[in-house]
Amino acid sequence: MLHFKTRNFGEIDIDEKMVIKFDSGLPGFSDAHRFTIICDPEDLDDPDNPFCWLQCLDDTDVAFCMVNVEKFMPSYDPLVDEQELADLGECDPDDYQIFNFVVIPKDPREVTVNLKAPVIINTQNMTGKQIICQNDDYDVRHYLFSQRGVNYAGSDKEKK
Amino acid sequence: MLALTRKKNESIIIGDKIEITVLNVQGEQVKLGISAPREISVHRKEIYEQICIENMAAAQTVNNEGDKLKDLYSLIKSSQPK
């Protein structure tokens, strides 16, 4: 068991098997390579709680609130470059988990989710990566509770 | 910033493992080919910066705001038509 003192969750014990390796870090957090997912005691599939946390183990002050977007948008289907996905190693399609980072402002009803850059986790080998998807119509800042979305400036039409 | 002038099909090598090649030049557009090790991500700058900004904002969230969200989600679910 690994022991950590975190800003958000106090002292926690994590089984090594629950450590997810982000070899590329995250945009803006390039030195953050080890993470774990923290859910409330309820099961992640509990319909009342689509949210969980990605806790960084290299810098325990860093944690991201994530959401399972499919519970809000069953049609969410990010198009991801094959090469980027291959970086996570082999995985059965059903063993990928997709989460999206959430930004919670003062008024939680204004919460936004980053649809453009999902976090994809290979649960077979416990590796993860935040991958920028190719969809033009997914925002970095999509209002979770309304139809509004904020497009980022510039559109990404060329393939790699 | 180092400035180098390259023609089509010429390359730049960064360190040992990163190579950038000018694949095509058409008017104002330059098509670049990049080879880099898998742990180094390569993105258009403007989208990458946008993701960085959003990630920084997302990392500002603290746990009790997550709880507010859970309550909100429950409210929404319970008010949705079955």
PDB file of all heavy atoms in Angstrom, chain A residues 23-24 27-28 40 47 50-51 53 64 72 87 101 104 108 130 141 156 158, chain B residues 38-39 43-44 48 51-52 54-55 58-59 61-63 68-70 72-73:
ATOM      1  N   ASP A  23       2.237   8.427 -19.018  1.00  0.00           N
ATOM      2  CA  ASP A  23       3.617   8.635 -19.469  1.00  0.00           C
ATOM      3  C   ASP A  23       3.846  10.022 -20.038  1.00  0.00           C
ATOM      4  O   ASP A  23       4.934  10.575 -19.933  1.00  0.00           O
ATOM      5  CB  ASP A  23       4.015   7.589 -20.526  1.00  0.00           C
ATOM      6  CG  ASP A  23       4.196   6.217 -19.902  1.00  0.00           C
ATOM      7  OD1 ASP A  23       4.363   6.140 -18.666  1.00  0.00           O
ATOM      8  OD2 ASP A  23       4.177   5.226 -20.648  1.00  0.00           O
ATOM      9  N   SER A  24       2.821  10.577 -20.674  1.00  0.00           N
ATOM     10  CA  SER A  24       2.977  11.907 -21.262  1.00  0.00           C
ATOM     11  C   SER A  24       2.580  13.026 -20.304  1.00  0.00           C
ATOM     12  O   SER A  24       2.554  14.181 -20.712  1.00  0.00           O
ATOM     13  CB  SER A  24       2.121  12.038 -22.529  1.00  0.00           C
ATOM     14  OG  SER A  24       2.343  10.974 -23.392  1.00  0.00           O
ATOM     15  N   PRO A  27      -1.389  18.006 -20.452  1.00  0.00           N
ATOM     16  CA  PRO A  27      -1.067  19.381 -20.893  1.00  0.00           C
ATOM     17  C   PRO A  27      -1.152  20.350 -19.723  1.00  0.00           C
ATOM     18  O   PRO A  27      -2.147  20.412 -19.022  1.00  0.00           O
ATOM     19  CB  PRO A  27      -2.155  19.657 -21.940  1.00  0.00           C
ATOM     20  CG  PRO A  27      -2.516  18.321 -22.473  1.00  0.00           C
ATOM     21  CD  PRO A  27      -2.411  17.383 -21.294  1.00  0.00           C
ATOM     22  N   GLY A  28      -0.079  21.065 -19.477  1.00  0.00           N
ATOM     23  CA  GLY A  28      -0.015  21.979 -18.339  1.00  0.00           C
ATOM     24  C   GLY A  28       0.556  21.325 -17.098  1.00  0.00           C
ATOM     25  O   GLY A  28       0.888  21.999 -16.127  1.00  0.00           O
ATOM     26  N   ASP A  40     -16.357   8.543  -4.599  1.00  0.00           N
ATOM     27  CA  ASP A  40     -17.030   8.461  -3.312  1.00  0.00           C
ATOM     28  C   ASP A  40     -17.242   6.987  -3.011  1.00  0.00           C
ATOM     29  O   ASP A  40     -17.177   6.163  -3.916  1.00  0.00           O
ATOM     30  CB  ASP A  40     -18.371   9.196  -3.378  1.00  0.00           C
ATOM     31  CG  ASP A  40     -18.171  10.654  -3.052  1.00  0.00           C
ATOM     32  OD1 ASP A  40     -17.133  10.974  -2.456  1.00  0.00           O
ATOM     33  OD2 ASP A  40     -19.033  11.463  -3.404  1.00  0.00           O
ATOM     34  N   PRO A  47     -26.199   5.935 -10.490  1.00  0.00           N
ATOM     35  CA  PRO A  47     -26.715   7.017 -11.347  1.00  0.00           C
ATOM     36  C   PRO A  47     -26.711   8.370 -10.654  1.00  0.00           C
ATOM     37  O   PRO A  47     -26.785   9.390 -11.313  1.00  0.00           O
ATOM     38  CB  PRO A  47     -28.147   6.565 -11.689  1.00  0.00           C
ATOM     39  CG  PRO A  47     -28.462   5.467 -10.747  1.00  0.00           C
ATOM     40  CD  PRO A  47     -27.188   4.883 -10.271  1.00  0.00           C
ATOM     41  N   PRO A  50     -22.085  10.553 -11.238  1.00  0.00           N
ATOM     42  CA  PRO A  50     -21.242  10.322 -12.417  1.00  0.00           C
ATOM     43  C   PRO A  50     -19.858  10.940 -12.267  1.00  0.00           C
ATOM     44  O   PRO A  50     -19.034  10.857 -13.158  1.00  0.00           O
ATOM     45  CB  PRO A  50     -22.012  11.037 -13.528  1.00  0.00           C
ATOM     46  CG  PRO A  50     -22.690  12.162 -12.828  1.00  0.00           C
ATOM     47  CD  PRO A  50     -22.998  11.700 -11.425  1.00  0.00           C
ATOM     48  N   PHE A  51     -19.593  11.560 -11.110  1.00  0.00           N
ATOM     49  CA  PHE A  51     -18.335  12.283 -10.916  1.00  0.00           C
ATOM     50  C   PHE A  51     -17.342  11.466 -10.122  1.00  0.00           C
ATOM     51  O   PHE A  51     -17.704  10.684  -9.250  1.00  0.00           O
ATOM     52  CB  PHE A  51     -18.599  13.599 -10.178  1.00  0.00           C
ATOM     53  CG  PHE A  51     -19.547  14.501 -10.903  1.00  0.00           C
ATOM     54  CD1 PHE A  51     -20.872  14.577 -10.526  1.00  0.00           C
ATOM     55  CD2 PHE A  51     -19.106  15.252 -11.984  1.00  0.00           C
ATOM     56  CE1 PHE A  51     -21.768  15.391 -11.219  1.00  0.00           C
ATOM     57  CE2 PHE A  51     -19.988  16.078 -12.678  1.00  0.00           C
ATOM     58  CZ  PHE A  51     -21.318  16.146 -12.294  1.00  0.00           C
ATOM     59  N   TRP A  53     -12.718  11.622  -9.094  1.00  0.00           N
ATOM     60  CA  TRP A  53     -11.551  12.487  -9.034  1.00  0.00           C
ATOM     61  C   TRP A  53     -10.324  11.767  -9.541  1.00  0.00           C
ATOM     62  O   TRP A  53     -10.126  10.581  -9.252  1.00  0.00           O
ATOM     63  CB  TRP A  53     -11.306  12.918  -7.582  1.00  0.00           C
ATOM     64  CG  TRP A  53     -12.428  13.740  -7.056  1.00  0.00           C
ATOM     65  CD1 TRP A  53     -13.607  13.285  -6.553  1.00  0.00           C
ATOM     66  CD2 TRP A  53     -12.516  15.169  -7.036  1.00  0.00           C
ATOM     67  NE1 TRP A  53     -14.403  14.345  -6.205  1.00  0.00           N
ATOM     68  CE2 TRP A  53     -13.780  15.490  -6.482  1.00  0.00           C
ATOM     69  CE3 TRP A  53     -11.643  16.201  -7.417  1.00  0.00           C
ATOM     70  CZ2 TRP A  53     -14.192  16.826  -6.318  1.00  0.00           C
ATOM     71  CZ3 TRP A  53     -12.048  17.513  -7.241  1.00  0.00           C
ATOM     72  CH2 TRP A  53     -13.314  17.805  -6.700  1.00  0.00           C
ATOM     73  N   PHE A  64      -8.173  16.429 -10.180  1.00  0.00           N
ATOM     74  CA  PHE A  64      -9.139  16.908 -11.167  1.00  0.00           C
ATOM     75  C   PHE A  64     -10.470  16.215 -10.952  1.00  0.00           C
ATOM     76  O   PHE A  64     -10.521  14.992 -10.804  1.00  0.00           O
ATOM     77  CB  PHE A  64      -8.663  16.578 -12.590  1.00  0.00           C
ATOM     78  CG  PHE A  64      -7.343  17.183 -12.950  1.00  0.00           C
ATOM     79  CD1 PHE A  64      -6.167  16.491 -12.716  1.00  0.00           C
ATOM     80  CD2 PHE A  64      -7.275  18.442 -13.527  1.00  0.00           C
ATOM     81  CE1 PHE A  64      -4.933  17.046 -13.042  1.00  0.00           C
ATOM     82  CE2 PHE A  64      -6.053  19.008 -13.859  1.00  0.00           C
ATOM     83  CZ  PHE A  64      -4.887  18.312 -13.616  1.00  0.00           C
ATOM     84  N   PHE A  72     -24.572  12.018 -19.314  1.00  0.00           N
ATOM     85  CA  PHE A  72     -25.274  13.244 -19.693  1.00  0.00           C
ATOM     86  C   PHE A  72     -25.540  13.282 -21.186  1.00  0.00           C
ATOM     87  O   PHE A  72     -26.522  13.835 -21.652  1.00  0.00           O
ATOM     88  CB  PHE A  72     -24.417  14.478 -19.348  1.00  0.00           C
ATOM     89  CG  PHE A  72     -24.274  14.728 -17.889  1.00  0.00           C
ATOM     90  CD1 PHE A  72     -23.298  14.101 -17.150  1.00  0.00           C
ATOM     91  CD2 PHE A  72     -25.129  15.602 -17.246  1.00  0.00           C
ATOM     92  CE1 PHE A  72     -23.167  14.342 -15.792  1.00  0.00           C
ATOM     93  CE2 PHE A  72     -25.000  15.853 -15.888  1.00  0.00           C
ATOM     94  CZ  PHE A  72     -24.020  15.223 -15.158  1.00  0.00           C
ATOM     95  N   ASP A  87      -0.533   4.419 -28.140  1.00  0.00           N
ATOM     96  CA  ASP A  87       0.437   4.739 -27.093  1.00  0.00           C
ATOM     97  C   ASP A  87       0.041   4.159 -25.748  1.00  0.00           C
ATOM     98  O   ASP A  87       0.884   3.986 -24.868  1.00  0.00           O
ATOM     99  CB  ASP A  87       0.568   6.257 -26.922  1.00  0.00           C
ATOM    100  CG  ASP A  87       1.301   6.894 -28.090  1.00  0.00           C
ATOM    101  OD1 ASP A  87       1.929   6.168 -28.877  1.00  0.00           O
ATOM    102  OD2 ASP A  87       1.227   8.129 -28.214  1.00  0.00           O
ATOM    103  N   PHE A 101     -12.552  16.108 -17.873  1.00  0.00           N
ATOM    104  CA  PHE A 101     -12.336  17.039 -16.763  1.00  0.00           C
ATOM    105  C   PHE A 101     -13.453  18.061 -16.703  1.00  0.00           C
ATOM    106  O   PHE A 101     -13.981  18.497 -17.718  1.00  0.00           O
ATOM    107  CB  PHE A 101     -11.015  17.785 -16.937  1.00  0.00           C
ATOM    108  CG  PHE A 101      -9.798  16.963 -16.640  1.00  0.00           C
ATOM    109  CD1 PHE A 101      -8.554  17.382 -17.071  1.00  0.00           C
ATOM    110  CD2 PHE A 101      -9.887  15.779 -15.931  1.00  0.00           C
ATOM    111  CE1 PHE A 101      -7.406  16.635 -16.807  1.00  0.00           C
ATOM    112  CE2 PHE A 101      -8.748  15.026 -15.661  1.00  0.00           C
ATOM    113  CZ  PHE A 101      -7.507  15.457 -16.109  1.00  0.00           C
ATOM    114  N   ILE A 104     -15.629  23.574 -12.123  1.00  0.00           N
ATOM    115  CA  ILE A 104     -16.798  23.938 -11.325  1.00  0.00           C
ATOM    116  C   ILE A 104     -16.637  25.373 -10.833  1.00  0.00           C
ATOM    117  O   ILE A 104     -15.828  25.648  -9.960  1.00  0.00           O
ATOM    118  CB  ILE A 104     -16.956  23.005 -10.110  1.00  0.00           C
ATOM    119  CG1 ILE A 104     -16.908  21.538 -10.559  1.00  0.00           C
ATOM    120  CG2 ILE A 104     -18.278  23.280  -9.397  1.00  0.00           C
ATOM    121  CD1 ILE A 104     -16.981  20.546  -9.425  1.00  0.00           C
ATOM    122  N   PRO A 108     -22.485  26.151  -9.174  1.00  0.00           N
ATOM    123  CA  PRO A 108     -22.279  24.818  -9.767  1.00  0.00           C
ATOM    124  C   PRO A 108     -23.156  24.539 -10.979  1.00  0.00           C
ATOM    125  O   PRO A 108     -22.840  23.655 -11.773  1.00  0.00           O
ATOM    126  CB  PRO A 108     -22.634  23.844  -8.628  1.00  0.00           C
ATOM    127  CG  PRO A 108     -22.798  24.640  -7.421  1.00  0.00           C
ATOM    128  CD  PRO A 108     -22.903  26.083  -7.775  1.00  0.00           C
ATOM    129  N   GLN A 130      -4.453  12.073 -21.775  1.00  0.00           N
ATOM    130  CA  GLN A 130      -5.481  13.027 -22.187  1.00  0.00           C
ATOM    131  C   GLN A 130      -5.271  13.260 -23.679  1.00  0.00           C
ATOM    132  O   GLN A 130      -4.206  13.722 -24.086  1.00  0.00           O
ATOM    133  CB  GLN A 130      -5.366  14.332 -21.416  1.00  0.00           C
ATOM    134  CG  GLN A 130      -6.491  15.301 -21.744  1.00  0.00           C
ATOM    135  CD  GLN A 130      -6.459  16.544 -20.884  1.00  0.00           C
ATOM    136  OE1 GLN A 130      -5.398  16.950 -20.421  1.00  0.00           O
ATOM    137  NE2 GLN A 130      -7.609  17.159 -20.675  1.00  0.00           N
ATOM    138  N   ARG A 141     -15.104  23.818 -23.309  1.00  0.00           N
ATOM    139  CA  ARG A 141     -15.890  24.315 -22.200  1.00  0.00           C
ATOM    140  C   ARG A 141     -17.374  24.165 -22.537  1.00  0.00           C
ATOM    141  O   ARG A 141     -18.027  25.113 -22.968  1.00  0.00           O
ATOM    142  CB  ARG A 141     -15.547  25.778 -21.978  1.00  0.00           C
ATOM    143  CG  ARG A 141     -15.498  26.188 -20.538  1.00  0.00           C
ATOM    144  CD  ARG A 141     -15.070  27.595 -20.421  1.00  0.00           C
ATOM    145  NE  ARG A 141     -13.649  27.719 -20.217  1.00  0.00           N
ATOM    146  CZ  ARG A 141     -13.024  28.879 -20.036  1.00  0.00           C
ATOM    147  NH1 ARG A 141     -13.713  29.995 -20.068  1.00  0.00           N
ATOM    148  NH2 ARG A 141     -11.735  28.918 -19.827  1.00  0.00           N
ATOM    149  N   ASP A 156      -9.748  22.647 -36.068  1.00  0.00           N
ATOM    150  CA  ASP A 156      -8.665  21.704 -36.288  1.00  0.00           C
ATOM    151  C   ASP A 156      -9.098  20.712 -37.352  1.00  0.00           C
ATOM    152  O   ASP A 156      -9.551  19.631 -37.037  1.00  0.00           O
ATOM    153  CB  ASP A 156      -8.436  20.988 -34.955  1.00  0.00           C
ATOM    154  CG  ASP A 156      -6.981  20.660 -34.766  1.00  0.00           C
ATOM    155  OD1 ASP A 156      -6.314  20.426 -35.780  1.00  0.00           O
ATOM    156  OD2 ASP A 156      -6.557  20.630 -33.610  1.00  0.00           O
ATOM    157  N   GLU A 158      -7.281  19.576 -40.178  1.00  0.00           N
ATOM    158  CA  GLU A 158      -6.307  18.701 -40.839  1.00  0.00           C
ATOM    159  C   GLU A 158      -6.083  17.429 -40.043  1.00  0.00           C
ATOM    160  O   GLU A 158      -6.085  17.451 -38.833  1.00  0.00           O
ATOM    161  CB  GLU A 158      -4.966  19.415 -40.957  1.00  0.00           C
ATOM    162  CG  GLU A 158      -4.918  20.474 -42.044  1.00  0.00           C
ATOM    163  CD  GLU A 158      -3.595  21.229 -41.980  1.00  0.00           C
ATOM    164  OE1 GLU A 158      -2.604  20.718 -42.517  1.00  0.00           O
ATOM    165  OE2 GLU A 158      -3.554  22.301 -41.383  1.00  0.00           O
TER     166      GLU A 158
ATOM    167  N   ARG B  38       7.014   8.423 -28.356  1.00  0.00           N
ATOM    168  CA  ARG B  38       5.600   8.372 -28.028  1.00  0.00           C
ATOM    169  C   ARG B  38       5.248   9.144 -26.768  1.00  0.00           C
ATOM    170  O   ARG B  38       4.146   9.630 -26.622  1.00  0.00           O
ATOM    171  CB  ARG B  38       5.115   6.922 -27.921  1.00  0.00           C
ATOM    172  CG  ARG B  38       5.896   6.043 -26.996  1.00  0.00           C
ATOM    173  CD  ARG B  38       5.209   4.699 -26.814  1.00  0.00           C
ATOM    174  NE  ARG B  38       4.149   4.756 -25.833  1.00  0.00           N
ATOM    175  CZ  ARG B  38       4.315   4.765 -24.529  1.00  0.00           C
ATOM    176  NH1 ARG B  38       5.504   4.729 -24.014  1.00  0.00           N
ATOM    177  NH2 ARG B  38       3.271   4.803 -23.728  1.00  0.00           N
ATOM    178  N   GLU B  39       6.213   9.313 -25.857  1.00  0.00           N
ATOM    179  CA  GLU B  39       5.835  10.011 -24.613  1.00  0.00           C
ATOM    180  C   GLU B  39       5.853  11.527 -24.778  1.00  0.00           C
ATOM    181  O   GLU B  39       5.499  12.264 -23.862  1.00  0.00           O
ATOM    182  CB  GLU B  39       6.731   9.589 -23.439  1.00  0.00           C
ATOM    183  CG  GLU B  39       8.196   9.917 -23.597  1.00  0.00           C
ATOM    184  CD  GLU B  39       8.971   8.814 -24.312  1.00  0.00           C
ATOM    185  OE1 GLU B  39       8.315   7.905 -24.878  1.00  0.00           O
ATOM    186  OE2 GLU B  39      10.204   8.875 -24.303  1.00  0.00           O
ATOM    187  N   HIS B  43       1.170  18.899 -30.663  1.00  0.00           N
ATOM    188  CA  HIS B  43      -0.137  19.502 -30.952  1.00  0.00           C
ATOM    189  C   HIS B  43       0.022  20.862 -31.585  1.00  0.00           C
ATOM    190  O   HIS B  43       1.050  21.513 -31.431  1.00  0.00           O
ATOM    191  CB  HIS B  43      -0.929  19.699 -29.654  1.00  0.00           C
ATOM    192  CG  HIS B  43      -1.268  18.426 -28.965  1.00  0.00           C
ATOM    193  ND1 HIS B  43      -2.178  17.525 -29.475  1.00  0.00           N
ATOM    194  CD2 HIS B  43      -0.814  17.885 -27.818  1.00  0.00           C
ATOM    195  CE1 HIS B  43      -2.258  16.492 -28.665  1.00  0.00           C
ATOM    196  NE2 HIS B  43      -1.448  16.678 -27.649  1.00  0.00           N
ATOM    197  N   ARG B  44      -1.005  21.320 -32.269  1.00  0.00           N
ATOM    198  CA  ARG B  44      -1.064  22.717 -32.707  1.00  0.00           C
ATOM    199  C   ARG B  44      -1.074  23.570 -31.453  1.00  0.00           C
ATOM    200  O   ARG B  44      -1.784  23.247 -30.493  1.00  0.00           O
ATOM    201  CB  ARG B  44      -2.337  22.970 -33.503  1.00  0.00           C
ATOM    202  CG  ARG B  44      -2.324  22.337 -34.864  1.00  0.00           C
ATOM    203  CD  ARG B  44      -3.720  22.337 -35.477  1.00  0.00           C
ATOM    204  NE  ARG B  44      -3.731  21.719 -36.767  1.00  0.00           N
ATOM    205  CZ  ARG B  44      -3.645  20.428 -36.993  1.00  0.00           C
ATOM    206  NH1 ARG B  44      -3.554  19.593 -35.969  1.00  0.00           N
ATOM    207  NH2 ARG B  44      -3.651  19.937 -38.213  1.00  0.00           N
ATOM    208  N   TYR B  48      -3.428  23.345 -27.864  1.00  0.00           N
ATOM    209  CA  TYR B  48      -2.703  22.868 -26.701  1.00  0.00           C
ATOM    210  C   TYR B  48      -2.799  23.858 -25.550  1.00  0.00           C
ATOM    211  O   TYR B  48      -3.039  23.485 -24.398  1.00  0.00           O
ATOM    212  CB  TYR B  48      -1.238  22.621 -27.074  1.00  0.00           C
ATOM    213  CG  TYR B  48      -0.463  21.987 -25.955  1.00  0.00           C
ATOM    214  CD1 TYR B  48      -0.578  20.622 -25.702  1.00  0.00           C
ATOM    215  CD2 TYR B  48       0.367  22.739 -25.136  1.00  0.00           C
ATOM    216  CE1 TYR B  48       0.118  20.027 -24.661  1.00  0.00           C
ATOM    217  CE2 TYR B  48       1.063  22.164 -24.100  1.00  0.00           C
ATOM    218  CZ  TYR B  48       0.941  20.808 -23.867  1.00  0.00           C
ATOM    219  OH  TYR B  48       1.619  20.231 -22.831  1.00  0.00           O
ATOM    220  N   ILE B  51      -6.147  23.713 -23.931  1.00  0.00           N
ATOM    221  CA  ILE B  51      -6.289  22.550 -23.043  1.00  0.00           C
ATOM    222  C   ILE B  51      -5.540  22.802 -21.735  1.00  0.00           C
ATOM    223  O   ILE B  51      -6.027  22.471 -20.653  1.00  0.00           O
ATOM    224  CB  ILE B  51      -5.780  21.258 -23.722  1.00  0.00           C
ATOM    225  CG1 ILE B  51      -6.506  20.981 -25.032  1.00  0.00           C
ATOM    226  CG2 ILE B  51      -5.898  20.067 -22.773  1.00  0.00           C
ATOM    227  CD1 ILE B  51      -7.984  20.788 -24.920  1.00  0.00           C
ATOM    228  N   CYS B  52      -4.351  23.406 -21.832  1.00  0.00           N
ATOM    229  CA  CYS B  52      -3.583  23.730 -20.610  1.00  0.00           C
ATOM    230  C   CYS B  52      -4.401  24.634 -19.694  1.00  0.00           C
ATOM    231  O   CYS B  52      -4.481  24.405 -18.489  1.00  0.00           O
ATOM    232  CB  CYS B  52      -2.278  24.460 -20.957  1.00  0.00           C
ATOM    233  SG  CYS B  52      -1.017  23.360 -21.588  1.00  0.00           S
ATOM    234  N   GLU B  54      -7.645  25.081 -19.585  1.00  0.00           N
ATOM    235  CA  GLU B  54      -8.777  24.355 -19.012  1.00  0.00           C
ATOM    236  C   GLU B  54      -8.333  23.395 -17.920  1.00  0.00           C
ATOM    237  O   GLU B  54      -9.006  23.242 -16.901  1.00  0.00           O
ATOM    238  CB  GLU B  54      -9.523  23.553 -20.083  1.00  0.00           C
ATOM    239  CG  GLU B  54     -10.401  24.369 -21.002  1.00  0.00           C
ATOM    240  CD  GLU B  54     -11.328  25.308 -20.249  1.00  0.00           C
ATOM    241  OE1 GLU B  54     -12.162  24.839 -19.453  1.00  0.00           O
ATOM    242  OE2 GLU B  54     -11.194  26.532 -20.452  1.00  0.00           O
ATOM    243  N   ASN B  55      -7.201  22.733 -18.121  1.00  0.00           N
ATOM    244  CA  ASN B  55      -6.692  21.807 -17.093  1.00  0.00           C
ATOM    245  C   ASN B  55      -6.336  22.554 -15.815  1.00  0.00           C
ATOM    246  O   ASN B  55      -6.616  22.076 -14.712  1.00  0.00           O
ATOM    247  CB  ASN B  55      -5.473  21.031 -17.608  1.00  0.00           C
ATOM    248  CG  ASN B  55      -5.847  19.888 -18.537  1.00  0.00           C
ATOM    249  OD1 ASN B  55      -7.025  19.595 -18.733  1.00  0.00           O
ATOM    250  ND2 ASN B  55      -4.843  19.242 -19.102  1.00  0.00           N
ATOM    251  N   ALA B  58      -9.501  23.308 -14.132  1.00  0.00           N
ATOM    252  CA  ALA B  58     -10.084  22.084 -13.567  1.00  0.00           C
ATOM    253  C   ALA B  58      -9.358  21.697 -12.288  1.00  0.00           C
ATOM    254  O   ALA B  58      -9.973  21.218 -11.334  1.00  0.00           O
ATOM    255  CB  ALA B  58     -10.021  20.956 -14.586  1.00  0.00           C
ATOM    256  N   ALA B  59      -8.053  21.923 -12.229  1.00  0.00           N
ATOM    257  CA  ALA B  59      -7.271  21.548 -11.041  1.00  0.00           C
ATOM    258  C   ALA B  59      -7.559  22.461  -9.853  1.00  0.00           C
ATOM    259  O   ALA B  59      -7.174  22.161  -8.736  1.00  0.00           O
ATOM    260  CB  ALA B  59      -5.778  21.558 -11.368  1.00  0.00           C
ATOM    261  N   THR B  61     -10.498  23.056  -8.697  1.00  0.00           N
ATOM    262  CA  THR B  61     -11.709  22.583  -8.018  1.00  0.00           C
ATOM    263  C   THR B  61     -11.338  21.837  -6.734  1.00  0.00           C
ATOM    264  O   THR B  61     -10.427  21.022  -6.740  1.00  0.00           O
ATOM    265  CB  THR B  61     -12.477  21.622  -8.949  1.00  0.00           C
ATOM    266  OG1 THR B  61     -12.784  22.307 -10.145  1.00  0.00           O
ATOM    267  CG2 THR B  61     -13.753  21.131  -8.305  1.00  0.00           C
ATOM    268  N   VAL B  62     -12.016  22.119  -5.674  1.00  0.00           N
ATOM    269  CA  VAL B  62     -11.748  21.367  -4.437  1.00  0.00           C
ATOM    270  C   VAL B  62     -12.921  20.427  -4.140  1.00  0.00           C
ATOM    271  O   VAL B  62     -13.990  20.552  -4.709  1.00  0.00           O
ATOM    272  CB  VAL B  62     -11.481  22.280  -3.223  1.00  0.00           C
ATOM    273  CG1 VAL B  62     -10.159  22.984  -3.394  1.00  0.00           C
ATOM    274  CG2 VAL B  62     -12.602  23.251  -3.015  1.00  0.00           C
ATOM    275  N   ASN B  63     -12.681  19.522  -3.235  1.00  0.00           N
ATOM    276  CA  ASN B  63     -13.604  18.420  -3.014  1.00  0.00           C
ATOM    277  C   ASN B  63     -15.008  18.864  -2.637  1.00  0.00           C
ATOM    278  O   ASN B  63     -15.981  18.284  -3.075  1.00  0.00           O
ATOM    279  CB  ASN B  63     -13.040  17.496  -1.946  1.00  0.00           C
ATOM    280  CG  ASN B  63     -13.729  16.148  -1.931  1.00  0.00           C
ATOM    281  OD1 ASN B  63     -14.383  15.774  -2.898  1.00  0.00           O
ATOM    282  ND2 ASN B  63     -13.592  15.423  -0.853  1.00  0.00           N
ATOM    283  N   LYS B  68     -21.180  19.600  -4.032  1.00  0.00           N
ATOM    284  CA  LYS B  68     -22.276  20.468  -4.491  1.00  0.00           C
ATOM    285  C   LYS B  68     -22.822  19.918  -5.801  1.00  0.00           C
ATOM    286  O   LYS B  68     -24.012  19.924  -6.079  1.00  0.00           O
ATOM    287  CB  LYS B  68     -21.733  21.882  -4.782  1.00  0.00           C
ATOM    288  CG  LYS B  68     -21.805  22.856  -3.641  1.00  0.00           C
ATOM    289  CD  LYS B  68     -21.493  24.263  -4.150  1.00  0.00           C
ATOM    290  CE  LYS B  68     -20.300  24.851  -3.409  1.00  0.00           C
ATOM    291  NZ  LYS B  68     -19.675  25.955  -4.127  1.00  0.00           N
ATOM    292  N   LEU B  69     -21.886  19.470  -6.615  1.00  0.00           N
ATOM    293  CA  LEU B  69     -22.228  18.971  -7.941  1.00  0.00           C
ATOM    294  C   LEU B  69     -23.081  17.716  -7.844  1.00  0.00           C
ATOM    295  O   LEU B  69     -24.033  17.516  -8.599  1.00  0.00           O
ATOM    296  CB  LEU B  69     -20.939  18.651  -8.666  1.00  0.00           C
ATOM    297  CG  LEU B  69     -20.929  18.849 -10.163  1.00  0.00           C
ATOM    298  CD1 LEU B  69     -21.275  20.269 -10.509  1.00  0.00           C
ATOM    299  CD2 LEU B  69     -19.563  18.514 -10.680  1.00  0.00           C
ATOM    300  N   LYS B  70     -22.725  16.865  -6.891  1.00  0.00           N
ATOM    301  CA  LYS B  70     -23.465  15.612  -6.732  1.00  0.00           C
ATOM    302  C   LYS B  70     -24.915  15.912  -6.361  1.00  0.00           C
ATOM    303  O   LYS B  70     -25.837  15.329  -6.891  1.00  0.00           O
ATOM    304  CB  LYS B  70     -22.800  14.787  -5.630  1.00  0.00           C
ATOM    305  CG  LYS B  70     -23.230  13.347  -5.634  1.00  0.00           C
ATOM    306  CD  LYS B  70     -22.347  12.482  -4.769  1.00  0.00           C
ATOM    307  CE  LYS B  70     -22.391  12.835  -3.306  1.00  0.00           C
ATOM    308  NZ  LYS B  70     -22.064  11.670  -2.466  1.00  0.00           N
ATOM    309  N   LEU B  72     -26.540  18.641  -6.991  1.00  0.00           N
ATOM    310  CA  LEU B  72     -27.163  19.263  -8.146  1.00  0.00           C
ATOM    311  C   LEU B  72     -27.608  18.204  -9.134  1.00  0.00           C
ATOM    312  O   LEU B  72     -28.711  18.242  -9.678  1.00  0.00           O
ATOM    313  CB  LEU B  72     -26.141  20.200  -8.801  1.00  0.00           C
ATOM    314  CG  LEU B  72     -26.653  21.216  -9.793  1.00  0.00           C
ATOM    315  CD1 LEU B  72     -27.768  22.051  -9.191  1.00  0.00           C
ATOM    316  CD2 LEU B  72     -25.510  22.113 -10.207  1.00  0.00           C
ATOM    317  N   TYR B  73     -26.720  17.230  -9.349  1.00  0.00           N
ATOM    318  CA  TYR B  73     -27.040  16.169 -10.296  1.00  0.00           C
ATOM    319  C   TYR B  73     -28.242  15.370  -9.821  1.00  0.00           C
ATOM    320  O   TYR B  73     -29.113  15.007 -10.606  1.00  0.00           O
ATOM    321  CB  TYR B  73     -25.827  15.264 -10.498  1.00  0.00           C
ATOM    322  CG  TYR B  73     -26.067  14.219 -11.562  1.00  0.00           C
ATOM    323  CD1 TYR B  73     -26.164  14.567 -12.904  1.00  0.00           C
ATOM    324  CD2 TYR B  73     -26.247  12.883 -11.219  1.00  0.00           C
ATOM    325  CE1 TYR B  73     -26.402  13.611 -13.872  1.00  0.00           C
ATOM    326  CE2 TYR B  73     -26.490  11.927 -12.185  1.00  0.00           C
ATOM    327  CZ  TYR B  73     -26.564  12.292 -13.511  1.00  0.00           C
ATOM    328  OH  TYR B  73     -26.815  11.354 -14.453  1.00  0.00           O
TER     329      TYR B  73
END
